[in-house]
Amino acid sequence: MQVLYQSTRGKGEPVTASQAILKGLSDDGGLFVPTSIPKLDVPMEKLSQMTYQETAYEVMSRLLTDFTEEELKNCIDKAYDDKFDTKEIAPLHEADGAYFLELYHGATIAFKDMALSILPHLMTTAAKKNHAKNDIVILTATSGDTGKAALAGFADVPGTKIIVFYPKHGVSPIQEKQMVTQKGDNTFVVGITGNFDDAQTAVKKMFNDKALAAELDQAGFQFSSANSINIGRLVPQIVYYVYAYASLVRQGKISDGQEINVVVPTGNFGNILAAFYAKQMGLPVHKLICASNENKVLYDFFSTGTYDRKRDFILTTSPSMDILISSNLERLIYRITGENAEKCAALMQALSEGGEYTITEEMKAGLSDFYGNFCDEKETAEAIHEIFEKSHYVIDTHTAVAAGVYKKYVKETGDITPTVIASTASPYKFTRSVMDAISQGHENLDDFGLADALCSLSGVPVPKAVEEIRTAPVLHDRVVDAEDMPDTVKEILGIR
């Protein structure tokens, strides 16, 4: 069965998977969603014996139907190789009454590697399939992790350039060092003086700027996105939830068909949406637990039915979740309107123009799969401390938000369904916050000294990704205001 993709805002004809990946964003500003969600018709008995790569093929082939078996397997083999430091790719670690799904064993030690190691291969394959004549310019805003993972994925990939914008004072020192030391003749990293939402809004505007698209086309370029608004990011993320479930069956932790809960630390809503799609494909998921930090716009939305971005932006120790406009939520909104593109477009317009929207009671009923809560900074640090004390297991700040929210969920509901917590980054990415939570007396250490201290405390080796940037030279030092981002792009591409 062929799966096509249509815009959440309804304009334009449905497109193939490869066309949707290539475009990134629909011409009407909407996000591409599958016209139907196929069932994963492989017996769990079979899935539970598969490698990560084999699982990836089974899941992705159901959704990316215009890629041939050879094309898709080639993309998967190139993505999930020795860039990952474990053969399992996404292992599970049992601690404190839950299963932590470690999604940070890739090149940049964050979950974004899971999708961004395959996206360049999907995109260059899609470009060939669609006879694209232009070079692809990947334009991305990052709250810390997407940027580095996209840079690593696209570095020196022929026929592409990548430009990453990040909030200059809104990422951790390790995250920033990872980006500004990135090698590759086609990579460009730019700090902006605003926050992530400013960067993301400006990027979306550039995607929708017809005059800019014409200028680019004339110069032999076309934009595409590596953010989670690209369906080529979302589909690979579905894989690890299926793999986690199959791993639990294989290990005898659950029986085939038994439900699990999934907890996801959430900012842009892509990672938890992938879990929702996995459930739609037939994975036995009971509750999708959406964990927010103090920027609790999603918690408030699930509680009240009103999405309101008109609030102070708070810089927290979990910066990848410091987001007030959760782009991927639009895909869920489209779904709960009964796939009514007109309604969805009207709500998105209200958000853009007035800063908020409220869904109907009927739509709210469509959110029954979800539970939302949040952790403040103190609760986040306590979760890191508690899990280390109890289980001698070190988690990062984002995973700690998820673990803290899970504890609240159990207390509130009494639900003890087996639970997978998405562990989205290595603790080595946020060494100061992690060390502050579990130990004292290291105030004078820099981030690399803290990494060494964390290593001796936890026994977990310092990842290669951190060792490599310890002495790496800074190659990108450009900083601009958000309003100057379009001019910066033109300057980088030499079309001013």
Side-chain angles (χ1 to χ4, degrees):
M1 182 187 83
Q2 195 184 22
V3 176
L4 294 173
Y5 290 81
Q6 63 203 16
S7 167
T8 48
R9 301 188 193 176
K11 302 228 170 68
E13 292 299 306
V15 297
T16 63
S18 64
Q19 287 167 335
I21 288 169
L22 209 50
K23 283 175 82 72
L25 199 64
S26 171
D27 291 338
D28 59 7
L31 309 190
F32 286 113
V33 285
T35 49
S36 60
I37 295 179
K39 288 294 172 204
L40 183 60
D41 49 359
V42 186
M44 187 50 66
E45 191 185 348
K46 200 173 165 192
L47 277 170
S48 67
Q49 300 308 313
M50 288 183 182
T51 63
Y52 191 88
Q53 293 83 347
E54 289 164 344
T55 309
Y57 177 74
E58 293 301 340
V59 174
M60 291 169 67
S61 62
R62 300 301 186 281
L63 285 150
L64 307 180
T65 53
D66 69 322
F67 285 76
T68 66
E69 181 177 350
E70 188 189 354
E71 285 168 343
L72 197 48
K73 285 186 171 171
N74 182 40
C75 290
I76 289 165
D77 290 345
K78 282 180 176 167
Y80 304 112
D81 57 10
D82 56 13
K83 289 191 286 296
F84 287 82
D85 65 16
T86 168
K87 269 198 172 128
E88 286 173 282
I89 308 295
L92 284 163
H93 184 101
E94 192 173 351
D96 198 34
Y99 301 97
F100 288 81
L101 177 60
E102 295 181 348
L103 300 172
Y104 54 76
H105 288 275
T108 76
I109 57 175
F111 83 98
K112 308 291 169 81
D113 289 323
M114 301 299 295
L116 282 165
S117 57
I118 193 166
L119 183 64
H121 304 296
L122 292 173
M123 204 170 267
T124 48
T125 305
K128 275 186 206 133
K129 288 175 87 66
N130 291 283
H131 313 293
K133 60 179 188 351
N134 292 334
D135 277 6
I136 297 163
V137 178
I138 300 296
L139 192 62
T140 288
T142 186
S143 55
D145 288 336
T146 290
K148 174 60 186 179
L151 288 160
F154 280 94
D156 293 323
V157 171
T160 69
K161 289 189 189 302
I162 175 162
I163 306 170
V164 169
F165 291 98
Y166 75 97
K168 177 68 185 161
H169 302 294
V171 299
S172 81
I174 296 272
Q175 284 177 314
E176 181 171 47
K177 190 92 193 276
Q178 279 189 304
M179 287 190 281
V180 298
T181 57
Q182 176 64 50
K183 294 176 184 158
D185 292 342
N186 64 337
T187 64
F188 304 90
V189 180
V190 185
I192 71 150
T193 51
N195 60 38
F196 169 72
D197 286 332
D198 297 327
Q200 180 168 254
T201 301
V203 163
K204 277 188 168 177
K205 263 191 191 151
M206 282 189 263
F207 270 105
N208 292 324
D209 186 334
K210 302 285 184 280
L212 181 58
E215 269 186 86
L216 285 171
D217 187 49
Q218 208 165 356
F221 298 113
Q222 67 190 68
F223 279 147
S224 193
S225 165
N227 275 74
S228 56
I229 54 175
N230 193 315
I231 199 74
R233 269 280 300 276
L234 200 58
V235 170
Q237 290 179 276
I238 300 168
V239 175
Y240 46 73
Y241 294 111
V242 175
Y243 183 72
Y245 187 92
S247 297
L248 290 172
V249 171
R250 182 176 66 250
Q251 293 165 25
K253 306 286 188 187
I254 59 171
S255 54
D256 181 3
Q258 187 178 349
E259 288 191 325
I260 61 166
N261 289 330
V262 176
V263 192
V264 187
T266 308
N268 221 8
F269 209 75
N271 201 2
I272 196 164
L273 185 73
F276 174 76
Y277 279 179
K279 179 172 181 167
Q280 301 303 303
M281 291 180 80
L283 199 70
V285 175
H286 172 54
K287 246 342 165 200
L288 296 156
I289 299 168
C290 177
S292 301
N293 66 16
E294 286 182 15
N295 291 291
K296 56 188 182 67
V297 64
L298 286 164
Y299 165 63
D300 291 343
F301 169 70
F302 284 117
S303 307
T304 66
T306 295
Y307 191 99
D308 183 0
R309 65 172 170 84
K310 304 188 308 295
R311 60 183 71 203
D312 289 338
F313 184 94
I314 301 164
L315 291 173
T316 73
T317 54
S318 47
S320 299
M321 297 157 68
D322 291 346
I323 291 171
L324 296 181
I325 303 169
S326 302
S327 289
N328 270 289
L329 187 63
E330 181 171 342
R331 288 186 165 113
L332 182 65
I333 295 297
Y334 174 75
R335 183 106 184 156
I336 63 173
T337 59
E339 307 202 334
N340 183 325
E342 209 175 303
K343 258 191 202 172
C344 183
L347 290 169
M348 293 309 122
Q349 195 174 347
L351 181 66
S352 166
E353 290 172 4
E356 67 174 288
Y357 61 80
T358 301
I359 61 172
T360 63
E361 283 304 312
E362 192 186 350
M363 287 169 68
K364 213 173 164 189
L367 299 176
S368 59
D369 288 332
F370 291 88
Y371 165 92
N373 215 320
F374 77 101
C375 279
D376 63 23
E377 290 290 85
K378 185 169 174 283
E379 290 168 326
T380 303
E382 280 168 0
I384 296 171
H385 182 83
E386 202 174 289
I387 288 170
F388 183 67
E389 288 295 309
K390 277 190 193 169
S391 308
H392 199 72
Y393 182 57
V394 188
I395 56 173
D396 90 295
T397 45
H398 302 75
T399 308
V401 169
V405 164
Y406 175 55
K407 200 174 161 186
K408 290 183 182 187
Y409 170 77
V410 173
K411 195 175 176 186
E412 212 175 286
T413 63
D415 178 14
I416 51 162
T417 299
T419 295
V420 169
I421 295 176
S423 184
T424 51
S426 163
Y428 282 100
K429 230 168 177 169
F430 305 94
T431 44
R432 188 164 302 280
S433 303
V434 170
M435 285 298 286
D436 283 348
I438 61 176
S439 168
Q440 301 298 310
H442 52 261
E443 291 72 21
N444 299 327
L445 295 175
D446 68 7
D447 275 80
F448 295 103
L450 287 165
D452 295 332
L454 181 57
C455 174
S456 48
L457 199 63
S458 68
V460 177
V462 178
K464 191 171 142 202
V466 174
E467 289 294 2
E468 280 175 351
I469 59 169
R470 210 183 268 262
T471 54
V474 170
L475 302 174
H476 309 270
D477 56 5
R478 198 186 307 231
V479 181
V480 303
D481 292 333
E483 61 264 30
D484 296 329
M485 285 167 57
D487 285 342
T488 305
V489 168
K490 287 187 197 176
E491 192 184 305
I492 285 168
L493 299 177
I495 56 173
R496 288 190 72 179

